[in-house]
Structure formats: structure tokens, C-alpha cells
Amino acid sequence: MAQIIDTTLLIIGGGPGGYVAAIRAGQLGIPTVLVEGQALGGTCLNIGCIPSKALIHVAEQFHQASGFAGQSALGIKVDAPRLEIGQSVAWKDGIVDRLTTGVAALLKKHGVKVIHGWAQIVDGKHVDVDGQRIRCEHLLLATGSSSVELPMLPFGGPIISSTEALAPSTLPKHLVVVGGGYIGLELGIAYRKLGAQVSVVEARERILPTYDSELTAPVAEALKKLGIALHLGHSVEGFEHGCLLAGDGKGGQLRLEADRVLVAVGRRPRSQGFNLQCLDLKMNGAAIAIDERCQTSMRNVWAIGDVAGEPMLAHRAMAQGEMVAEIIAGKARRFEPAAIAAVCFTDPEVVVAGKTPEQASQQGLDCIVAQFPFAANGRAMSLESKSGFVRVVARRDNHLIVGWQAVGVAVSELSTAFAQSLEMGARLEDVAGTIHAHPTLGEAVQEAALRALGHALHI
């Protein structure tokens, strides 16, 4: 064994959780080593959040241009557009490259030693990377998650995961998406807008099954308008002779001819492949169990992000990573956010922050629920988008806001206002009494609060 590298903090995984923890630790003067086997930025930057939003943007632009080739209400006329998917992918790769290079530069600036290689845990204080041993005081596990594979649809050939879907060299004629959750629908809608025929097969009875049906209704409507075929209540049985087979649970079988099948049935914590089992940590299903400080069942062994289970969101991982670095530096911190907003980048977009009306009533809270439709919002009209609404959930006794939900064009950007009002303990009066700029989509936030108080102005 070569010489031993000594460090205070050793982080396994350079995704949003791991790299943010490393940057913050560097800022706080903690000697830090970060081990990453693939590219810095993890799933999020390389094969997830960022490239998917880039592809969605390309799809939206192409879809709009195609609309201008027909009857456009805006009076814009063009010839039918052509798509060079290779150039689109190159543009997306350019964004990814810029961001990953930026992460590397930030780590270097803050004195973090980055080792490219696959870590193997020896014990809670020692990790081997390609024949090099690293000794640490604190071990932070930030290994992320991977796409769930279905046994009857192993990846390979026409069967792809989101990774391959984000880097197509050609467009399929017919893409079948297995899974009607946010990943499957985000990519399914993008491929439809790029010109492919798209069908979605979902085992449950509705799309986006983790959201309430009132919130997802405008998305279901949009899918119909786009011509995406939905096969709900169907379980996949296999793929043979170019056909995806699915059963409806009543003896009926669906056969869909497809030249590409995207399996998007969720993600699982990545807890295999780096000898985690030698630590004998307490688990929470497939995830590593953690407390409110992101400490595992072993002292000075920490876990953040997707490997620590739901919600599997990059912004949760980043917040946890920053916190763990501060705890190691001796600060008193706990991970107890009032809300972590979840955004679905479908068309229309969906945002959920805090408690839904259903969750509030399950927890025995007597709540006022009010919503304001974008159909009555001037900015939404000027963006040719009148579907959707903003909904607020607040306690009846003291008007404390406990949840926000929205569905509509660009509502992802309202998630900031939602999270902020929840984190600051805002009441309905606080939001209703704040002058919102006109004309903006954010006015629907103020109007929802006004409506909860019984005096909406524009409806």
C-alpha cells in the first residue's frame, strides 16, 4: 500500500450534495478530500436536472417554431422548421461542460483535493481509492441514486434509461415511456414536442400519482392536446419483436410497437459498489438512515442526498451538505426546513411546497384552502397560457400558511416565493398585504391569499 493520505473530511461522491459540502468545508478551513468516480456534478449536472431542462427548452422552442408554420394567433409565419438533434445535444453538452468546469474551479479555489476514482470503504476511518489509502476523521457519504431497472425490461438496445434519453443521436419514431412520474412525463413531453410519437404506460390509475389529481388535471389535459397516448392501470410484462407488452390486470394485453422504450419508474439510493456493508449502518429500506444532523448510526459517519432516501432532490442534498460541513466545523445546526419545494418541469409545470390540503387534514389541522386561476391573470394571458392556478393552504385559527401548490406556465419560478413564505412563517395577511408587481404571474400568489381571506379582487 502506497503512502496514506490524511484528511479531516473525506467525501464520497461529487454530486450537488458532495461538492457543496466540500466547498463549504473548504471555506471553513476543514482539510477535505472529495472522491468521485465519474464526472463532478453527479447525476444532476451530467445526466439529470440540467441536461433535461436544456432538452426541454430545445423541445419547447422547436414546438413553438412548428406552431408558427401553421395557423399562429400571434401573426407569426415561418416555413416548417427542421431539427438537427446532434447540434441540440452539442449545445446541451456545452452547458453541462461549463457547469462541471465551474464546480472543479470552485473546489480548487477552496483547497479541496479531488481524487478521481472509485472508493472502497475499509472502515469508518479508512477508504481505498485505486490502491491509495485515505485516512479521515469524518466520512461523508454522498453517493446519490441510480435509475431503477425493471427485471422484465433490462437496459440495452432499444430499452433505455433517462441517461440515454438525454443524449439521443436520432429521434425515435415511437417512444414508449414506462412510468408516469415526473421524469417520464418531462422527457415524454419533450420527445413529443421534438416530433416523436409518444405513449405512456403507468401501472397506477393516473399520471404523477404522488401529486393530487386537481393539481395534475391541467397536465393530463395538456398531454391529450399534444397527442400523447396514456395507458393507465397497465403493468409492463416485457418487450418482444419490437413490441412492448403490458397487462391491464383484467386479463387484457396491450401491445405497443416501439422503436425505443424509456424506463422511468423511479430512482433508488446508490448503496452498493463501495463496500458500504462493512460499516453495518442502520438502514431505512434501501436508504441509509440519518438523524436531523445527517449523522448515520455511526459517530462521524454522515450521509446526505439521495443515498439517504426521499425526497430525492438536488436542493435538499446541497442544503444538507452545507449543514454537515458547518457541524464538523463546530457550529450547532439541524436539518429542519419548513418546506422543500418539489418542481415538475412538465408543460404546464407543477410546484408543491409544504402541506397539501389532504396532508393538512390528515394531520388534524383545520385549514382554509383557496386558489386563484391563471385564466384571470393578465401576464398568463400574454404568455398564451391560461391553464392552471395557485393554491394556498393556511390554518383557520391564526392564518399561518402551511402549504402552497401551483400548476401553470413557468410556475417553477414561484417556488422561491412559496418556500420563503413558509420558512419565514408568513400569514395570509403578510402575503395579501405585500404589493406584487403587475403584470406578473406572481400576482396569482397574492390573489390566492386575498381569496383565502375572503376578498379576492380579480375574481
Side-chain angles (χ1 to χ4, degrees), residues 228-278:
I228 293 177
L230 284 184
H231 302 281
L232 302 172
H234 280 78
S235 300
V236 174
E237 290 164 355
F239 184 80
E240 53 186 52
H241 312 304
C243 281
L244 182 92
L245 311 175
D248 62 3
K250 307 181 186 92
Q253 195 182 51
L254 175 71
R255 294 177 70 87
L256 292 173
E257 233 177 284
D259 51 335
R260 224 168 287 170
V261 176
L262 165 61
V263 179
V265 291
R267 301 185 63 82
R268 73 166 83 244
R270 197 190 293 267
S271 51
Q272 302 296 312
F274 52 99
N275 200 26
L276 179 70
Q277 54 282 3
C278 79

mmCIF file of all heavy atoms in Angstrom, residues 228-278:
data_model
loop_
_atom_site.group_PDB
_atom_site.id
_atom_site.type_symbol
_atom_site.label_atom_id
_atom_site.label_comp_id
_atom_site.label_asym_id
_atom_site.label_seq_id
_atom_site.Cartn_x
_atom_site.Cartn_y
_atom_site.Cartn_z
ATOM 1 N N ILE A 228 -50.310 12.773 -26.810
ATOM 2 C CA ILE A 228 -49.577 11.696 -26.127
ATOM 3 C C ILE A 228 -50.597 10.676 -25.635
ATOM 4 O O ILE A 228 -51.555 11.032 -24.956
ATOM 5 C CB ILE A 228 -48.749 12.251 -24.946
ATOM 6 C CG1 ILE A 228 -47.628 13.144 -25.478
ATOM 7 C CG2 ILE A 228 -48.177 11.123 -24.092
ATOM 8 C CD1 ILE A 228 -46.777 13.811 -24.406
ATOM 9 N N ALA A 229 -50.398 9.405 -26.022
ATOM 10 C CA ALA A 229 -51.344 8.348 -25.622
ATOM 11 C C ALA A 229 -51.033 7.893 -24.204
ATOM 12 O O ALA A 229 -49.888 7.589 -23.875
ATOM 13 C CB ALA A 229 -51.253 7.176 -26.591
ATOM 14 N N LEU A 230 -52.062 7.870 -23.342
ATOM 15 C CA LEU A 230 -51.882 7.418 -21.963
ATOM 16 C C LEU A 230 -52.515 6.049 -21.780
ATOM 17 O O LEU A 230 -53.679 5.847 -22.128
ATOM 18 C CB LEU A 230 -52.563 8.388 -20.994
ATOM 19 C CG LEU A 230 -51.891 9.724 -20.689
ATOM 20 C CD1 LEU A 230 -52.688 10.471 -19.631
ATOM 21 C CD2 LEU A 230 -50.468 9.507 -20.203
ATOM 22 N N HIS A 231 -51.748 5.109 -21.226
ATOM 23 C CA HIS A 231 -52.292 3.779 -20.902
ATOM 24 C C HIS A 231 -52.129 3.596 -19.399
ATOM 25 O O HIS A 231 -51.095 3.136 -18.922
ATOM 26 C CB HIS A 231 -51.557 2.695 -21.686
ATOM 27 C CG HIS A 231 -51.631 2.882 -23.177
ATOM 28 N ND1 HIS A 231 -52.744 2.538 -23.921
ATOM 29 C CD2 HIS A 231 -50.745 3.419 -24.050
ATOM 30 C CE1 HIS A 231 -52.525 2.842 -25.200
ATOM 31 N NE2 HIS A 231 -51.328 3.384 -25.301
ATOM 32 N N LEU A 232 -53.160 3.996 -18.645
ATOM 33 C CA LEU A 232 -53.096 3.939 -17.187
ATOM 34 C C LEU A 232 -53.573 2.585 -16.692
ATOM 35 O O LEU A 232 -54.306 1.879 -17.385
ATOM 36 C CB LEU A 232 -53.937 5.068 -16.592
ATOM 37 C CG LEU A 232 -53.522 6.476 -17.048
ATOM 38 C CD1 LEU A 232 -54.519 7.519 -16.583
ATOM 39 C CD2 LEU A 232 -52.125 6.812 -16.555
ATOM 40 N N GLY A 233 -53.166 2.207 -15.478
ATOM 41 C CA GLY A 233 -53.578 0.925 -14.920
ATOM 42 C C GLY A 233 -53.023 -0.263 -15.690
ATOM 43 O O GLY A 233 -53.615 -1.337 -15.705
ATOM 44 N N HIS A 234 -51.878 -0.069 -16.349
ATOM 45 C CA HIS A 234 -51.243 -1.152 -17.108
ATOM 46 C C HIS A 234 -49.860 -1.469 -16.541
ATOM 47 O O HIS A 234 -49.048 -0.565 -16.351
ATOM 48 C CB HIS A 234 -51.096 -0.767 -18.589
ATOM 49 C CG HIS A 234 -52.356 -0.938 -19.376
ATOM 50 N ND1 HIS A 234 -53.394 -0.038 -19.327
ATOM 51 C CD2 HIS A 234 -52.746 -1.932 -20.228
ATOM 52 C CE1 HIS A 234 -54.375 -0.451 -20.121
ATOM 53 N NE2 HIS A 234 -54.002 -1.595 -20.679
ATOM 54 N N SER A 235 -49.623 -2.768 -16.294
ATOM 55 C CA SER A 235 -48.308 -3.196 -15.796
ATOM 56 C C SER A 235 -47.522 -3.845 -16.920
ATOM 57 O O SER A 235 -48.042 -4.705 -17.639
ATOM 58 C CB SER A 235 -48.471 -4.199 -14.650
ATOM 59 O OG SER A 235 -49.181 -3.592 -13.600
ATOM 60 N N VAL A 236 -46.266 -3.433 -17.046
ATOM 61 C CA VAL A 236 -45.417 -3.935 -18.124
ATOM 62 C C VAL A 236 -45.089 -5.403 -17.918
ATOM 63 O O VAL A 236 -44.786 -5.837 -16.804
ATOM 64 C CB VAL A 236 -44.127 -3.100 -18.193
ATOM 65 C CG1 VAL A 236 -43.159 -3.678 -19.204
ATOM 66 C CG2 VAL A 236 -44.456 -1.670 -18.553
ATOM 67 N N GLU A 237 -45.150 -6.178 -19.015
ATOM 68 C CA GLU A 237 -44.849 -7.614 -18.934
ATOM 69 C C GLU A 237 -43.574 -7.977 -19.688
ATOM 70 O O GLU A 237 -42.984 -9.022 -19.435
ATOM 71 C CB GLU A 237 -46.039 -8.421 -19.465
ATOM 72 C CG GLU A 237 -47.244 -8.338 -18.522
ATOM 73 C CD GLU A 237 -48.552 -8.786 -19.151
ATOM 74 O OE1 GLU A 237 -48.553 -9.085 -20.366
ATOM 75 O OE2 GLU A 237 -49.561 -8.831 -18.428
ATOM 76 N N GLY A 238 -43.151 -7.130 -20.640
ATOM 77 C CA GLY A 238 -41.918 -7.436 -21.359
ATOM 78 C C GLY A 238 -41.864 -6.733 -22.696
ATOM 79 O O GLY A 238 -42.735 -5.938 -23.046
ATOM 80 N N PHE A 239 -40.804 -7.053 -23.457
ATOM 81 C CA PHE A 239 -40.611 -6.445 -24.772
ATOM 82 C C PHE A 239 -40.161 -7.547 -25.715
ATOM 83 O O PHE A 239 -39.159 -8.211 -25.475
ATOM 84 C CB PHE A 239 -39.531 -5.355 -24.669
ATOM 85 C CG PHE A 239 -39.299 -4.588 -25.952
ATOM 86 C CD1 PHE A 239 -40.147 -3.562 -26.337
ATOM 87 C CD2 PHE A 239 -38.208 -4.884 -26.778
ATOM 88 C CE1 PHE A 239 -39.929 -2.834 -27.508
ATOM 89 C CE2 PHE A 239 -37.976 -4.170 -27.950
ATOM 90 C CZ PHE A 239 -38.851 -3.149 -28.317
ATOM 91 N N GLU A 240 -40.935 -7.800 -26.776
ATOM 92 C CA GLU A 240 -40.510 -8.807 -27.749
ATOM 93 C C GLU A 240 -40.960 -8.437 -29.155
ATOM 94 O O GLU A 240 -42.021 -7.848 -29.344
ATOM 95 C CB GLU A 240 -41.018 -10.200 -27.356
ATOM 96 C CG GLU A 240 -42.509 -10.293 -27.101
ATOM 97 C CD GLU A 240 -42.925 -11.666 -26.580
ATOM 98 O OE1 GLU A 240 -42.319 -12.149 -25.588
ATOM 99 O OE2 GLU A 240 -43.865 -12.243 -27.156
ATOM 100 N N HIS A 241 -40.117 -8.783 -30.136
ATOM 101 C CA HIS A 241 -40.373 -8.493 -31.555
ATOM 102 C C HIS A 241 -40.762 -7.025 -31.766
ATOM 103 O O HIS A 241 -41.708 -6.726 -32.485
ATOM 104 C CB HIS A 241 -41.481 -9.405 -32.109
ATOM 105 C CG HIS A 241 -41.283 -10.855 -31.764
ATOM 106 N ND1 HIS A 241 -40.136 -11.539 -32.084
ATOM 107 C CD2 HIS A 241 -42.080 -11.738 -31.111
ATOM 108 C CE1 HIS A 241 -40.236 -12.791 -31.639
ATOM 109 N NE2 HIS A 241 -41.401 -12.934 -31.050
ATOM 110 N N GLY A 242 -40.038 -6.112 -31.078
ATOM 111 C CA GLY A 242 -40.297 -4.689 -31.279
ATOM 112 C C GLY A 242 -41.579 -4.198 -30.652
ATOM 113 O O GLY A 242 -42.031 -3.090 -30.943
ATOM 114 N N CYS A 243 -42.187 -5.007 -29.777
ATOM 115 C CA CYS A 243 -43.439 -4.590 -29.124
ATOM 116 C C CYS A 243 -43.304 -4.611 -27.612
ATOM 117 O O CYS A 243 -42.772 -5.573 -27.034
ATOM 118 C CB CYS A 243 -44.588 -5.537 -29.505
ATOM 119 S SG CYS A 243 -45.260 -5.192 -31.119
ATOM 120 N N LEU A 244 -43.809 -3.545 -26.970
ATOM 121 C CA LEU A 244 -43.893 -3.548 -25.518
ATOM 122 C C LEU A 244 -45.217 -4.196 -25.127
ATOM 123 O O LEU A 244 -46.266 -3.851 -25.678
ATOM 124 C CB LEU A 244 -43.847 -2.123 -24.960
ATOM 125 C CG LEU A 244 -43.881 -2.116 -23.430
ATOM 126 C CD1 LEU A 244 -42.475 -2.126 -22.858
ATOM 127 C CD2 LEU A 244 -44.647 -0.926 -22.895
ATOM 128 N N LEU A 245 -45.156 -5.129 -24.188
ATOM 129 C CA LEU A 245 -46.373 -5.826 -23.741
ATOM 130 C C LEU A 245 -46.721 -5.370 -22.328
ATOM 131 O O LEU A 245 -45.856 -5.285 -21.461
ATOM 132 C CB LEU A 245 -46.152 -7.345 -23.750
ATOM 133 C CG LEU A 245 -45.544 -7.934 -25.034
ATOM 134 C CD1 LEU A 245 -45.269 -9.417 -24.867
ATOM 135 C CD2 LEU A 245 -46.470 -7.702 -26.220
ATOM 136 N N ALA A 246 -48.009 -5.071 -22.124
ATOM 137 C CA ALA A 246 -48.461 -4.663 -20.792
ATOM 138 C C ALA A 246 -49.851 -5.219 -20.539
ATOM 139 O O ALA A 246 -50.678 -5.303 -21.449
ATOM 140 C CB ALA A 246 -48.471 -3.140 -20.683
ATOM 141 N N GLY A 247 -50.108 -5.606 -19.286
ATOM 142 C CA GLY A 247 -51.417 -6.158 -18.926
ATOM 143 C C GLY A 247 -52.240 -5.153 -18.156
ATOM 144 O O GLY A 247 -51.704 -4.318 -17.432
ATOM 145 N N ASP A 248 -53.563 -5.224 -18.313
ATOM 146 C CA ASP A 248 -54.435 -4.270 -17.614
ATOM 147 C C ASP A 248 -54.973 -4.823 -16.298
ATOM 148 O O ASP A 248 -55.839 -4.207 -15.671
ATOM 149 C CB ASP A 248 -55.595 -3.842 -18.526
ATOM 150 C CG ASP A 248 -56.499 -5.004 -18.925
ATOM 151 O OD1 ASP A 248 -56.271 -6.141 -18.448
ATOM 152 O OD2 ASP A 248 -57.436 -4.776 -19.718
ATOM 153 N N GLY A 249 -54.466 -6.004 -15.898
ATOM 154 C CA GLY A 249 -54.898 -6.579 -14.624
ATOM 155 C C GLY A 249 -56.222 -7.295 -14.713
ATOM 156 O O GLY A 249 -56.685 -7.898 -13.746
ATOM 157 N N LYS A 250 -56.882 -7.242 -15.889
ATOM 158 C CA LYS A 250 -58.172 -7.920 -16.045
ATOM 159 C C LYS A 250 -58.070 -8.965 -17.146
ATOM 160 O O LYS A 250 -59.078 -9.353 -17.744
ATOM 161 C CB LYS A 250 -59.266 -6.911 -16.395
ATOM 162 C CG LYS A 250 -59.365 -5.730 -15.431
ATOM 163 C CD LYS A 250 -60.498 -4.781 -15.859
ATOM 164 C CE LYS A 250 -60.511 -3.537 -14.981
ATOM 165 N NZ LYS A 250 -59.708 -2.437 -15.549
ATOM 166 N N GLY A 251 -56.841 -9.374 -17.450
ATOM 167 C CA GLY A 251 -56.665 -10.395 -18.495
ATOM 168 C C GLY A 251 -56.426 -9.824 -19.878
ATOM 169 O O GLY A 251 -56.091 -10.551 -20.808
ATOM 170 N N GLY A 252 -56.593 -8.491 -20.039
ATOM 171 C CA GLY A 252 -56.352 -7.870 -21.346
ATOM 172 C C GLY A 252 -54.879 -7.558 -21.522
ATOM 173 O O GLY A 252 -54.192 -7.270 -20.545
ATOM 174 N N GLN A 253 -54.398 -7.655 -22.776
ATOM 175 C CA GLN A 253 -52.997 -7.308 -23.013
ATOM 176 C C GLN A 253 -52.859 -6.201 -24.051
ATOM 177 O O GLN A 253 -53.532 -6.213 -25.074
ATOM 178 C CB GLN A 253 -52.185 -8.534 -23.458
ATOM 179 C CG GLN A 253 -50.686 -8.270 -23.356
ATOM 180 C CD GLN A 253 -49.838 -9.442 -23.825
ATOM 181 O OE1 GLN A 253 -50.028 -9.967 -24.917
ATOM 182 N NE2 GLN A 253 -48.877 -9.844 -22.997
ATOM 183 N N LEU A 254 -51.980 -5.255 -23.730
ATOM 184 C CA LEU A 254 -51.708 -4.140 -24.633
ATOM 185 C C LEU A 254 -50.410 -4.447 -25.361
ATOM 186 O O LEU A 254 -49.440 -4.885 -24.754
ATOM 187 C CB LEU A 254 -51.550 -2.876 -23.769
ATOM 188 C CG LEU A 254 -51.148 -1.561 -24.412
ATOM 189 C CD1 LEU A 254 -52.285 -1.012 -25.258
ATOM 190 C CD2 LEU A 254 -50.772 -0.545 -23.323
ATOM 191 N N ARG A 255 -50.403 -4.255 -26.699
ATOM 192 C CA ARG A 255 -49.168 -4.427 -27.477
ATOM 193 C C ARG A 255 -48.862 -3.106 -28.160
ATOM 194 O O ARG A 255 -49.665 -2.608 -28.946
ATOM 195 C CB ARG A 255 -49.345 -5.509 -28.552
ATOM 196 C CG ARG A 255 -49.545 -6.910 -28.010
ATOM 197 C CD ARG A 255 -49.794 -7.881 -29.174
ATOM 198 N NE ARG A 255 -48.585 -8.082 -29.980
ATOM 199 C CZ ARG A 255 -47.658 -8.991 -29.697
ATOM 200 N NH1 ARG A 255 -47.783 -9.765 -28.641
ATOM 201 N NH2 ARG A 255 -46.575 -9.124 -30.469
ATOM 202 N N LEU A 256 -47.710 -2.527 -27.836
ATOM 203 C CA LEU A 256 -47.328 -1.249 -28.442
ATOM 204 C C LEU A 256 -46.047 -1.433 -29.239
ATOM 205 O O LEU A 256 -45.002 -1.764 -28.672
ATOM 206 C CB LEU A 256 -47.092 -0.186 -27.358
ATOM 207 C CG LEU A 256 -48.301 0.295 -26.547
ATOM 208 C CD1 LEU A 256 -47.838 1.210 -25.419
ATOM 209 C CD2 LEU A 256 -49.287 1.036 -27.435
ATOM 210 N N GLU A 257 -46.146 -1.214 -30.547
ATOM 211 C CA GLU A 257 -44.944 -1.277 -31.376
ATOM 212 C C GLU A 257 -44.099 -0.052 -31.044
ATOM 213 O O GLU A 257 -44.598 1.065 -31.074
ATOM 214 C CB GLU A 257 -45.347 -1.250 -32.853
ATOM 215 C CG GLU A 257 -44.765 -2.395 -33.642
ATOM 216 C CD GLU A 257 -45.245 -2.382 -35.083
ATOM 217 O OE1 GLU A 257 -46.414 -2.761 -35.321
ATOM 218 O OE2 GLU A 257 -44.455 -1.971 -35.939
ATOM 219 N N ALA A 258 -42.821 -0.273 -30.733
ATOM 220 C CA ALA A 258 -41.986 0.859 -30.321
ATOM 221 C C ALA A 258 -40.554 0.654 -30.765
ATOM 222 O O ALA A 258 -40.034 -0.457 -30.670
ATOM 223 C CB ALA A 258 -42.035 0.998 -28.808
ATOM 224 N N ASP A 259 -39.928 1.712 -31.260
ATOM 225 C CA ASP A 259 -38.506 1.566 -31.593
ATOM 226 C C ASP A 259 -37.613 2.036 -30.450
ATOM 227 O O ASP A 259 -36.407 1.863 -30.484
ATOM 228 C CB ASP A 259 -38.142 2.258 -32.919
ATOM 229 C CG ASP A 259 -38.612 3.698 -33.005
ATOM 230 O OD1 ASP A 259 -39.588 4.045 -32.314
ATOM 231 O OD2 ASP A 259 -38.022 4.460 -33.775
ATOM 232 N N ARG A 260 -38.212 2.641 -29.394
ATOM 233 C CA ARG A 260 -37.445 2.965 -28.187
ATOM 234 C C ARG A 260 -38.374 2.942 -26.983
ATOM 235 O O ARG A 260 -39.503 3.417 -27.074
ATOM 236 C CB ARG A 260 -36.781 4.340 -28.315
ATOM 237 C CG ARG A 260 -35.331 4.349 -27.830
ATOM 238 C CD ARG A 260 -34.563 5.603 -28.210
ATOM 239 N NE ARG A 260 -34.212 5.680 -29.614
ATOM 240 C CZ ARG A 260 -33.714 6.770 -30.199
ATOM 241 N NH1 ARG A 260 -33.516 7.868 -29.492
ATOM 242 N NH2 ARG A 260 -33.412 6.768 -31.480
ATOM 243 N N VAL A 261 -37.871 2.393 -25.885
ATOM 244 C CA VAL A 261 -38.659 2.318 -24.653
ATOM 245 C C VAL A 261 -37.851 2.955 -23.526
ATOM 246 O O VAL A 261 -36.747 2.513 -23.202
ATOM 247 C CB VAL A 261 -38.998 0.846 -24.287
ATOM 248 C CG1 VAL A 261 -39.742 0.788 -22.956
ATOM 249 C CG2 VAL A 261 -39.809 0.186 -25.394
ATOM 250 N N LEU A 262 -38.408 4.029 -22.964
ATOM 251 C CA LEU A 262 -37.743 4.709 -21.845
ATOM 252 C C LEU A 262 -38.334 4.191 -20.536
ATOM 253 O O LEU A 262 -39.527 4.335 -20.288
ATOM 254 C CB LEU A 262 -37.960 6.224 -21.956
ATOM 255 C CG LEU A 262 -37.651 7.057 -20.707
ATOM 256 C CD1 LEU A 262 -36.190 6.939 -20.290
ATOM 257 C CD2 LEU A 262 -38.007 8.525 -20.931
ATOM 258 N N VAL A 263 -37.488 3.574 -19.705
ATOM 259 C CA VAL A 263 -37.949 3.087 -18.399
ATOM 260 C C VAL A 263 -37.662 4.172 -17.363
ATOM 261 O O VAL A 263 -36.501 4.513 -17.098
ATOM 262 C CB VAL A 263 -37.245 1.771 -18.012
ATOM 263 C CG1 VAL A 263 -37.733 1.290 -16.639
ATOM 264 C CG2 VAL A 263 -37.520 0.698 -19.070
ATOM 265 N N ALA A 264 -38.728 4.760 -16.819
ATOM 266 C CA ALA A 264 -38.586 5.848 -15.839
ATOM 267 C C ALA A 264 -39.520 5.553 -14.667
ATOM 268 O O ALA A 264 -40.536 6.204 -14.481
ATOM 269 C CB ALA A 264 -38.940 7.187 -16.492
ATOM 270 N N VAL A 265 -39.168 4.519 -13.911
ATOM 271 C CA VAL A 265 -40.045 4.091 -12.810
ATOM 272 C C VAL A 265 -39.460 4.473 -11.448
ATOM 273 O O VAL A 265 -39.828 3.912 -10.435
ATOM 274 C CB VAL A 265 -40.318 2.567 -12.866
ATOM 275 C CG1 VAL A 265 -41.187 2.233 -14.066
ATOM 276 C CG2 VAL A 265 -39.024 1.764 -12.919
ATOM 277 N N GLY A 266 -38.550 5.445 -11.467
ATOM 278 C CA GLY A 266 -38.032 5.927 -10.193
ATOM 279 C C GLY A 266 -36.538 5.699 -10.042
ATOM 280 O O GLY A 266 -35.875 5.160 -10.935
ATOM 281 N N ARG A 267 -36.027 6.137 -8.905
ATOM 282 C CA ARG A 267 -34.597 6.023 -8.613
ATOM 283 C C ARG A 267 -34.410 5.360 -7.264
ATOM 284 O O ARG A 267 -35.276 5.464 -6.397
ATOM 285 C CB ARG A 267 -33.941 7.419 -8.640
ATOM 286 C CG ARG A 267 -34.104 8.123 -9.983
ATOM 287 C CD ARG A 267 -33.367 9.440 -10.036
ATOM 288 N NE ARG A 267 -31.934 9.268 -9.887
ATOM 289 C CZ ARG A 267 -31.108 8.922 -10.879
ATOM 290 N NH1 ARG A 267 -31.576 8.711 -12.094
ATOM 291 N NH2 ARG A 267 -29.814 8.783 -10.647
ATOM 292 N N ARG A 268 -33.286 4.664 -7.101
ATOM 293 C CA ARG A 268 -33.020 4.031 -5.803
ATOM 294 C C ARG A 268 -31.671 4.501 -5.269
ATOM 295 O O ARG A 268 -30.759 4.801 -6.050
ATOM 296 C CB ARG A 268 -33.077 2.505 -5.918
ATOM 297 C CG ARG A 268 -31.907 1.870 -6.634
ATOM 298 C CD ARG A 268 -31.864 0.365 -6.408
ATOM 299 N NE ARG A 268 -32.748 -0.347 -7.337
ATOM 300 C CZ ARG A 268 -33.806 -1.056 -6.956
ATOM 301 N NH1 ARG A 268 -34.124 -1.160 -5.695
ATOM 302 N NH2 ARG A 268 -34.542 -1.673 -7.836
ATOM 303 N N PRO A 269 -31.555 4.580 -3.921
ATOM 304 C CA PRO A 269 -30.287 5.023 -3.327
ATOM 305 C C PRO A 269 -29.131 4.139 -3.797
ATOM 306 O O PRO A 269 -29.285 2.927 -3.922
ATOM 307 C CB PRO A 269 -30.520 4.852 -1.825
ATOM 308 C CG PRO A 269 -32.002 4.903 -1.659
ATOM 309 C CD PRO A 269 -32.571 4.286 -2.895
ATOM 310 N N ARG A 270 -27.980 4.759 -4.077
ATOM 311 C CA ARG A 270 -26.805 4.005 -4.527
ATOM 312 C C ARG A 270 -26.000 3.602 -3.292
ATOM 313 O O ARG A 270 -25.155 4.355 -2.811
ATOM 314 C CB ARG A 270 -25.969 4.902 -5.452
ATOM 315 C CG ARG A 270 -24.947 4.166 -6.311
ATOM 316 C CD ARG A 270 -24.034 5.159 -6.993
ATOM 317 N NE ARG A 270 -24.719 5.976 -7.980
ATOM 318 C CZ ARG A 270 -24.790 5.663 -9.278
ATOM 319 N NH1 ARG A 270 -24.234 4.568 -9.734
ATOM 320 N NH2 ARG A 270 -25.424 6.465 -10.122
ATOM 321 N N SER A 271 -26.312 2.433 -2.780
ATOM 322 C CA SER A 271 -25.636 1.978 -1.558
ATOM 323 C C SER A 271 -24.782 0.739 -1.818
ATOM 324 O O SER A 271 -24.243 0.139 -0.895
ATOM 325 C CB SER A 271 -26.679 1.701 -0.465
ATOM 326 O OG SER A 271 -27.685 0.854 -0.965
ATOM 327 N N GLN A 272 -24.650 0.337 -3.087
ATOM 328 C CA GLN A 272 -23.847 -0.820 -3.457
ATOM 329 C C GLN A 272 -22.596 -0.365 -4.197
ATOM 330 O O GLN A 272 -22.581 0.700 -4.803
ATOM 331 C CB GLN A 272 -24.640 -1.738 -4.413
ATOM 332 C CG GLN A 272 -25.963 -2.236 -3.850
ATOM 333 C CD GLN A 272 -25.781 -3.116 -2.632
ATOM 334 O OE1 GLN A 272 -24.960 -4.023 -2.640
ATOM 335 N NE2 GLN A 272 -26.524 -2.836 -1.576
ATOM 336 N N GLY A 273 -21.562 -1.212 -4.181
ATOM 337 C CA GLY A 273 -20.408 -0.974 -5.045
ATOM 338 C C GLY A 273 -19.242 -0.248 -4.396
ATOM 339 O O GLY A 273 -18.217 -0.033 -5.017
ATOM 340 N N PHE A 274 -19.408 0.168 -3.131
ATOM 341 C CA PHE A 274 -18.264 0.828 -2.481
ATOM 342 C C PHE A 274 -18.037 0.265 -1.080
ATOM 343 O O PHE A 274 -17.471 0.906 -0.202
ATOM 344 C CB PHE A 274 -18.430 2.355 -2.463
ATOM 345 C CG PHE A 274 -19.747 2.851 -1.907
ATOM 346 C CD1 PHE A 274 -19.842 3.302 -0.606
ATOM 347 C CD2 PHE A 274 -20.888 2.869 -2.700
ATOM 348 C CE1 PHE A 274 -21.055 3.757 -0.093
ATOM 349 C CE2 PHE A 274 -22.100 3.326 -2.195
ATOM 350 C CZ PHE A 274 -22.186 3.769 -0.883
ATOM 351 N N ASN A 275 -18.489 -1.013 -0.900
ATOM 352 C CA ASN A 275 -18.263 -1.761 0.348
ATOM 353 C C ASN A 275 -18.897 -1.115 1.572
ATOM 354 O O ASN A 275 -18.352 -1.153 2.671
ATOM 355 C CB ASN A 275 -16.753 -1.961 0.580
ATOM 356 C CG ASN A 275 -16.475 -3.116 1.539
ATOM 357 O OD1 ASN A 275 -17.283 -4.034 1.648
ATOM 358 N ND2 ASN A 275 -15.368 -3.055 2.245
ATOM 359 N N LEU A 276 -20.088 -0.522 1.366
ATOM 360 C CA LEU A 276 -20.797 0.125 2.478
ATOM 361 C C LEU A 276 -21.144 -0.883 3.575
ATOM 362 O O LEU A 276 -21.132 -0.557 4.761
ATOM 363 C CB LEU A 276 -22.082 0.780 1.946
ATOM 364 C CG LEU A 276 -22.951 1.487 2.985
ATOM 365 C CD1 LEU A 276 -22.269 2.752 3.488
ATOM 366 C CD2 LEU A 276 -24.318 1.844 2.410
ATOM 367 N N GLN A 277 -21.441 -2.129 3.155
ATOM 368 C CA GLN A 277 -21.909 -3.129 4.122
ATOM 369 C C GLN A 277 -20.913 -3.362 5.265
ATOM 370 O O GLN A 277 -21.309 -3.748 6.364
ATOM 371 C CB GLN A 277 -22.293 -4.447 3.432
ATOM 372 C CG GLN A 277 -21.247 -5.103 2.537
ATOM 373 C CD GLN A 277 -21.113 -4.464 1.152
ATOM 374 O OE1 GLN A 277 -21.767 -3.465 0.845
ATOM 375 N NE2 GLN A 277 -20.243 -5.025 0.320
ATOM 376 N N CYS A 278 -19.609 -3.060 5.048
ATOM 377 C CA CYS A 278 -18.633 -3.297 6.117
ATOM 378 C C CYS A 278 -18.864 -2.348 7.304
ATOM 379 O O CYS A 278 -18.372 -2.596 8.395
ATOM 380 C CB CYS A 278 -17.210 -3.161 5.586
ATOM 381 S SG CYS A 278 -16.676 -1.452 5.404
#
